[in-house]
Each structure stands twice: as structure tokens, then as C-alpha cells.
Amino acid sequence: SKMLQAGRTAFMQGKLEEALQAFTMALEEEEAKEVVHGNLALCCIKLGRYHQSLEHAIRSTELNPRWAKGWARKASAHLSLGDLVEAEAAIARATLLQPDDKDFAKLRSEIEGASRREATTPQELDKHVPLQTLFHHATHDPPGSSNLLILLHGLGDSHEPFLSFGKKLELPKTSVMALRACDSLPLAMGFSWFPVFEADGNMIVPSRTEERRTRGLKSTLDKLEVFLRRVWQQEKFKPKSTFIFGFSQGAIVAVNAGLRMNLGGVVGVSGSLIQEQHDSSWPPPPGGKSSTPMLLTHGVADERVSITKARACRDRLRGWVEEETMEWKEYNKGHDMVRQQEEVRDLMSFFARHLVLPMDPQDLRSSNLASREDVYEVKDPAIIQAILMRNSIS
């Protein structure tokens, strides 16, 4: 089309903003929209707009999963954002579709070189990665909050529904932050916290020599630790007033974060460890046994992670946490989020015992609990639970 050609001409002349505008207009008239989104992704990379580049690259691969350059653009965007595991997966897909492309080979070498230089500790990662490149997130921040609840979605989902869930909890003195995983799945199937699919669409089979899942999980945990440390530097929240709630794959990240860091608490629903962590050769958490309080819940009819496997994870975890810090609950449900009243009650009871609620009379007068004549002091867990249970969660 005319605008597509104008965009290409402007790009070759180094007029990136002009090219960006032309390619955007070309979306309205060009049939091969995957190509236009690929060009927009390249423009955004050159302009340093890495998240926008990734969004266009993702859209390109969704429109035409067989167009190799779309996957290469996605690899470049992930590389620019420091998501090396995701970059490796994307360039592998591009190379599978177009094995002899020299540009793809060059990009693969860049990604491999970056992987060799990849920070090995969160402290090193902290020096290089801006906060805004770590996770897309949405926040609900009521005034006067002293607790932070981090929400991690499951495989194939995104963060928006979980922010709504966090708001429904209405935990007192608690801000809610829902994070979105970095690895986007093909065909607009949502997001993943670590790789689960081969380039051909089949599931990655865990084994002692297969490292993509474990490397991806480590990368996510490193980013999460940096993200939280940046939040704590603002001095509004502290580690012991920070809680992580995860569902399914997000629960695996939440539990492993609780093993790494001493937090206020972790809730894992329908997930806890990856299969590789069942192996006896898997090292115990650094720093000894974790003191982070944990509530793990699972359905006896779970069709994705059988209750037998879930109990094996529970038994493995018990050797990694301090005595009496982990609670295990089973319910008559499948692979589902929190829905049953019994599970809601157990969840609220957990938060009632672990939330940090420094409330003086002034706090009480200014809070939305002031209208409750039966609430005069927030110290006893039973009183806190009574407050939390005022609304049921559908």
C-alpha cells in the first residue's frame, strides 16, 4: 500500500517518528497486517519503546503464526527488555520457520551472548533493569495502607481479573497490586510466568537435562525480588507486610518467592512447586528453612494437578519451611480459584492472623470500619476475621 511504502522510505531515511505514523495509518488499508505490526515493532525498538514493540510483535505473531519475521521481532523486543528466556523461545520459533536466515542467526548470537552475560543475582539485575520493564501491573492503593498484596495469575491468564479479585477481598489497610507475566503465549492465549510450550506447540517435558522451565522460573523470581525491593525502598511497605497470592502457575512463583524471601505470607491455590523440584537432587532454598507463613489449598478433583501430585509437593515443601509455618487445605473442587465459602473462610482467617494492622484511634475514625459500633480495637485475630468476613466473594 501507499502508506506502507511511505513508512519504509521514512524508516530507511532514519525518520522514525514519520515511519511510525505511516505504518500506523497503513494498518487501515493493508491486508497483510502482520507485516505492518512487524514494522511497527521494529520502529518502536529503534525509538526505545520496548513494551510497545513487544505488543506489536505479539499481534504480528497472532495474526500470522507462520510469518517468521514476527517471531524475530518478538525476540528482539524481549531481548531489549531483558527477558532472555522469552527471547530464546521466540528466535527458536523464527529459526524453525526460516532456518537459513542470516539475520535470525545474528540475533540468536546476540541473545546467546546476553544470556552468558545475564546477571546471576537479583542484586546484579537491580543495577541494570528499570522497574517499568519488569512487569506490567495494575494497582488499587487505598489511603493509609500498611500491607501490600501481590497477585499472580495462572497460565494463560492476565492480571486484570486478579485486580478485581483483590478488590473484592477488601482487606483492611491493604494495597493490591496485580502483576502480568512477561511471556506471552501464541494466538492471544494469555501469559506465562515461565516457558511451558515447545516451538511446535507441544508441552515441554520436564527432565533432568531440560532447563528452560527452571531457568524461566529463576528469571521471573529474580525480577520479582528486584520489583519488591524497589517497592520497599519507597518505605511505605516492608517485607513482613507484603503478601503474595498466586493461582496455578502463579502459585508456583508465589511459593518459591516465599522460600527465597521472608514475607508476611504466601497463599498458593492449585499449585506450589514445578515437577523438577520433586527431584531429590534439587537444592534446598538458600538461607535455610523459610519462615514465611504459607497457606496452600488444592482441590481433590483437580484435573490438571492431581491431588496425589499436590500432596507430594506439600511433603517436599515441609522439609523447606519452619515447623508450623505451612497450612494445607483440601476442598471438594477441581482446578479452580477461590470460590467455596469454606475456602474463603480459610483464606480470610489466614490474613486475619498475619496482616499488619497498626490502628490507633485516629486510624479507626478515618477508616471505613468506623461505622461499626462493635469494632473498637484491632488486635485480636477473631475480631479481624469478623471484619474480613463481612462480605462473601463470588
Coordinates of all heavy atoms in Angstrom, one line a residue, residues 48 55 106 127 130 138 143 159 165 168 172 177 183 202-203 209 230 235 243 249 264 279 320 327 343 360 368 384:
G48 N 13.3 3.0 21.3 CA 13.4 2.7 22.7 C 12.1 2.4 23.4 O 12.0 2.4 24.6
E55 N 4.3 -5.5 22.1 CA 2.8 -5.6 21.9 C 2.6 -5.7 20.4 O 1.7 -6.5 19.9 CB 2.1 -4.3 22.4 CG 2.1 -4.3 23.9 CD 1.5 -3.0 24.5 OE1 1.2 -2.1 23.6 OE2 1.5 -2.8 25.7
K106 N 22.2 -14.0 13.4 CA 22.9 -13.0 14.1 C 22.1 -12.6 15.4 O 22.8 -12.4 16.5 CB 23.0 -11.7 13.2 CG 23.7 -10.5 13.8 CD 23.7 -9.4 12.9 CE 24.4 -8.2 13.5 NZ 24.5 -7.0 12.6
K127 N 20.9 -3.5 39.1 CA 21.7 -2.4 38.6 C 21.3 -2.0 37.2 O 21.6 -0.9 36.8 CB 23.2 -2.8 38.7 CG 23.7 -3.1 40.1 CD 25.1 -3.6 40.0 CE 25.7 -4.0 41.3 NZ 27.1 -4.5 41.2
P130 N 15.4 -1.2 34.6 CA 14.4 -0.2 35.1 C 13.1 -0.9 35.6 O 12.7 -1.9 35.0 CB 14.1 0.7 33.9 CG 15.2 0.5 33.0 CD 15.7 -0.9 33.1
A138 N -1.2 -3.5 37.6 CA -2.3 -2.6 37.9 C -2.4 -2.6 39.4 O -2.2 -3.6 40.1 CB -3.6 -3.1 37.3
P143 N -5.9 4.8 50.7 CA -5.1 5.6 51.6 C -4.9 4.9 52.9 O -5.7 4.2 53.4 CB -6.0 6.9 51.8 CG -7.0 6.9 50.7 CD -7.2 5.5 50.3
H159 N -3.5 -10.1 34.3 CA -3.6 -9.5 35.6 C -4.9 -8.8 35.9 O -5.2 -8.7 37.1 CB -2.4 -8.5 35.8 CG -2.4 -7.4 34.9 ND1 -2.4 -7.5 33.5 CD2 -2.4 -6.0 35.0 CE1 -2.3 -6.4 32.9 NE2 -2.3 -5.4 33.8
F165 N -10.4 -9.4 41.8 CA -10.5 -10.3 42.9 C -9.9 -9.7 44.2 O -10.5 -9.8 45.2 CB -9.7 -11.6 42.5 CG -9.5 -12.5 43.7 CD1 -10.6 -13.3 44.1 CD2 -8.3 -12.6 44.3 CE1 -10.4 -14.2 45.2 CE2 -8.1 -13.5 45.4 CZ -9.1 -14.3 45.8
K168 N -12.2 -7.2 45.7 CA -13.3 -7.9 46.4 C -13.0 -8.4 47.8 O -13.8 -8.5 48.7 CB -13.8 -9.1 45.6 CG -14.6 -8.6 44.3 CD -15.2 -9.9 43.6 CE -16.0 -9.5 42.4 NZ -16.6 -10.7 41.7
P172 N -8.4 -4.9 55.1 CA -8.1 -3.6 55.7 C -6.7 -3.2 55.6 O -5.8 -4.1 55.7 CB -8.6 -3.8 57.2 CG -8.5 -5.2 57.4 CD -8.8 -5.9 56.1
M177 N -1.8 -5.1 44.2 CA -1.0 -5.0 43.0 C -1.1 -6.3 42.2 O -0.5 -7.3 42.7 CB 0.4 -4.5 43.3 CG 1.2 -4.2 42.1 SD 2.9 -3.6 42.5 CE 2.5 -2.0 43.4
D183 N 5.9 -13.6 29.7 CA 6.0 -14.4 28.5 C 4.6 -14.5 27.9 O 3.7 -15.1 28.5 CB 6.5 -15.8 28.9 CG 6.8 -16.7 27.6 OD1 6.7 -16.1 26.5 OD2 7.1 -17.9 27.8
N202 N 3.8 -28.2 21.4 CA 3.7 -29.3 22.4 C 4.2 -28.8 23.7 O 5.0 -27.9 23.8 CB 4.4 -30.5 21.9 CG 3.7 -31.2 20.7 OD1 2.5 -31.3 20.7 ND2 4.5 -31.6 19.8
M203 N 3.8 -29.5 24.8 CA 4.3 -29.1 26.1 C 5.7 -29.5 26.3 O 6.2 -30.6 25.8 CB 3.4 -29.8 27.2 CG 2.0 -29.4 27.2 SD 1.7 -27.8 27.8 CE 2.0 -28.0 29.6
T209 N 17.7 -33.0 32.3 CA 18.6 -32.2 31.4 C 17.8 -31.0 30.8 O 18.4 -30.1 30.1 CB 19.1 -33.1 30.2 OG1 17.9 -33.7 29.5 CG2 19.9 -34.2 30.7
R230 N 12.4 -2.6 45.0 CA 12.2 -1.3 44.6 C 10.9 -0.7 45.4 O 10.9 0.5 45.8 CB 11.9 -1.2 43.1 CG 13.1 -1.7 42.3 CD 14.2 -0.6 42.1 NE 15.2 -1.0 41.3 CZ 15.2 -1.0 40.0 NH1 14.2 -0.5 39.3 NH2 16.3 -1.4 39.3
E235 N 9.5 2.8 51.2 CA 9.3 2.9 52.7 C 7.9 2.9 53.1 O 7.5 3.1 54.2 CB 10.1 4.1 53.3 CG 11.6 4.0 53.1 CD 12.3 5.1 53.8 OE1 11.6 6.0 54.3 OE2 13.5 5.1 53.8
F243 N 2.4 -9.6 51.1 CA 1.8 -10.9 50.9 C 1.7 -11.2 49.4 O 1.5 -10.3 48.6 CB 0.4 -11.0 51.5 CG 0.5 -10.7 53.0 CD1 0.6 -9.4 53.5 CD2 0.4 -11.8 53.9 CE1 0.6 -9.2 54.9 CE2 0.4 -11.6 55.3 CZ 0.5 -10.3 55.8
Q249 N -0.1 -21.7 38.0 CA 1.3 -21.4 37.7 C 1.8 -20.2 38.6 O 3.0 -20.2 39.0 CB 1.5 -21.1 36.2 CG 3.0 -21.1 35.8 CD 3.2 -20.6 34.4 OE1 2.8 -19.5 34.1 NE2 3.9 -21.4 33.6
G264 N 5.4 -11.5 54.6 CA 4.3 -11.5 55.6 C 3.5 -12.8 55.4 O 3.0 -13.3 56.4
D279 N 12.6 -33.7 42.4 CA 13.8 -34.5 42.3 C 14.6 -34.3 43.5 O 14.8 -33.1 44.0 CB 14.6 -34.1 41.0 CG 15.6 -35.1 40.7 OD1 16.5 -35.3 41.5 OD2 15.6 -35.7 39.6
W320 N 11.3 -27.8 53.7 CA 12.0 -26.5 53.4 C 11.5 -25.3 54.2 O 11.9 -24.2 54.0 CB 11.8 -26.2 51.9 CG 12.5 -27.2 51.0 CD1 13.5 -28.1 51.3 CD2 12.3 -27.3 49.6 NE1 13.9 -28.8 50.2 CE2 13.2 -28.3 49.1 CE3 11.4 -26.7 48.7 CZ2 13.2 -28.7 47.8 CZ3 11.5 -27.1 47.3 CH2 12.4 -28.1 46.9
E327 N 0.2 -24.1 56.2 CA -1.1 -24.7 56.3 C -1.5 -25.4 55.0 O -1.3 -24.8 54.0 CB -2.1 -23.6 56.7 CG -1.8 -22.9 58.0 CD -2.8 -21.8 58.2 OE1 -4.1 -22.1 58.1 OE2 -2.4 -20.6 58.4
E343 N -13.4 -22.3 51.7 CA -12.1 -21.8 51.2 C -11.9 -20.3 51.5 O -10.9 -19.8 51.9 CB -11.8 -22.1 49.8 CG -10.4 -21.9 49.3 CD -10.2 -22.4 47.9 OE1 -11.1 -22.8 47.2 OE2 -9.0 -22.4 47.5
D360 N -4.5 3.1 65.5 CA -4.7 3.9 66.7 C -6.1 4.5 66.5 O -6.8 4.4 65.5 CB -3.6 4.9 66.9 CG -3.5 5.9 65.7 OD1 -4.5 6.1 65.0 OD2 -2.4 6.4 65.5
N368 N -12.9 3.0 56.9 CA -14.3 2.6 56.6 C -14.9 1.7 57.6 O -16.1 1.2 57.5 CB -14.4 2.0 55.2 CG -13.6 0.7 55.1 OD1 -13.0 0.3 56.1 ND2 -13.7 0.1 53.9
I384 N -10.5 -9.4 63.9 CA -10.0 -9.1 62.5 C -10.8 -9.9 61.5 O -11.3 -9.5 60.5 CB -8.5 -9.3 62.3 CG1 -7.7 -8.4 63.3 CG2 -8.1 -9.0 60.9 CD1 -6.3 -8.7 63.3

